[in-house]
Structure formats: C-alpha cells, structure tokens
Amino acid sequence: MAINVVKGDRFDLGKNSPGLKRVRVGLGWEIPSSIPPLDLDASVFVCRLNAANEPKLLSDEHLVFYNNLSTPNGSVKHSGDNRTGAGDGDDETIIVDLSLLEADVRELSFVVTIHEAAAKRQSFGLLREAYIRLYDDVTGTLLCEYDLDAEFSSETALQVGSIVRNASGFEFHAIGAGYNLDLGAFIQGYI
C-alpha cells in the first residue's frame, strides 16, 4: 500500500522498498475543460552539493527536461513532453536508475513549470488533481504519493520534491514550494 506524504515529509526509499534499483517518478495533473490548455513541463535537476551545501547541477547535461531527455550516462531519463495533460494516469514520467547515478550526486530536484505562463496569464491555480508519485520501476509498486491540490494559486513554477542521497541510501523529500518563475529563471538558481 502506497504512503501519502504531505509537504515537509521525508520518505525513506530503501527502507520502504529494500533492494530498490530504479525509481519511476510520475507527475500528473488535470486541466478543467473550461480553460485553455496549459503546457506543463517536468524537469529534474541532477545536483552535487557546493561548498555552501547548496544543490548545483553536475553539468548542463544534468538538467533533464523536454529538450534534454537523458543524463549523459542514462541514469535519469524523461518520457518526453506532454503538452496537454489529457488522458488518465501520469502525464510525464522520469526514470531514475539509482545504481547509475554518479557518486557525487546528492539531490535530484523535481520541478514543474508552465510554459509561457506569464504571456498566457496561467498559473497552478487552474489545475486540478496535481500529484507526484514514486514507483519501484522494476515491480511497478507505488511507493508514495504527494497530492498537490489546493496548495498553490498564482504560482507558475513548483519545486515538487527531491530524491536525496543520505548515508543509508535515498529518500524522497516532499517540498511543495511555489514560485513565480519560468524554467530559465529556475535554471539560474542551479548553476
């Protein structure tokens, strides 16, 4: 049975799924039919920690998003851009092969932005049923789910959560931080 997490929770992936090799991160949302389509973009920032203990991209190629679907070694792979959110189930998926992550990777930060949000006057307040789900990609078992409904209104970017490497393995942190930024501005914070 999957565990529902809330903002601020930490979920120990190894403890809850011993032998976990690959994590499938599914992001989903519904857009009411009464509004124009929103193009949401899921991105993952694959980071080391700098001297100030802040997460920074390992390299430009370690930003995985609609224009770069994989890290150089294939440890993180994006399913591609879903421009409408139509259909059931996860709208965008990211696979993380924990065994292939570089030794200095300390955090994988999952961010969702609305493409051209300012120009189209769109925000996360227009969405319904937004979530992030983590699965054991080998068994298909749903490990945990973080429901983002009703937490955001005027924001155009969300840091949904992070997979963090600690001394005993990996854990998921439910972050749920909203911003009024586009993807380019978000990237600047990680370089």
Side-chain angles (χ1 to χ4, degrees), residues 18-30:
L20 182 66
K21 302 279 187 243
R22 286 191 318 268
V23 177
R24 184 171 77 244
V25 179
L27 297 124
W29 54 85
E30 293 300 322

Side-chain angles (χ1 to χ4, degrees), residues 137-175:
D137 190 50
V138 174
T139 67
T141 303
L142 177 61
L143 303 173
C144 70
E145 179 175 5
Y146 176 25
D147 181 5
L148 297 161
D149 279 358
E151 287 191 38
F152 306 99
S153 57
S154 63
E155 293 85 352
T156 60
L158 300 177
Q159 181 183 10
V160 180
S162 295
I163 293 177
V164 176
R165 187 190 311 245
N166 59 30
S168 62
F170 293 92
E171 60 186 16
F172 173 71
H173 295 187
I175 307 257

Side-chain angles (χ1 to χ4, degrees), residues 10-17 20 166 168-172:
R10 293 175 180 221
F11 179 83
D12 189 320
L13 294 169
K15 180 180 176 186
N16 288 284
S17 185
L20 182 66
N166 59 30
S168 62
F170 293 92
E171 60 186 16
F172 173 71

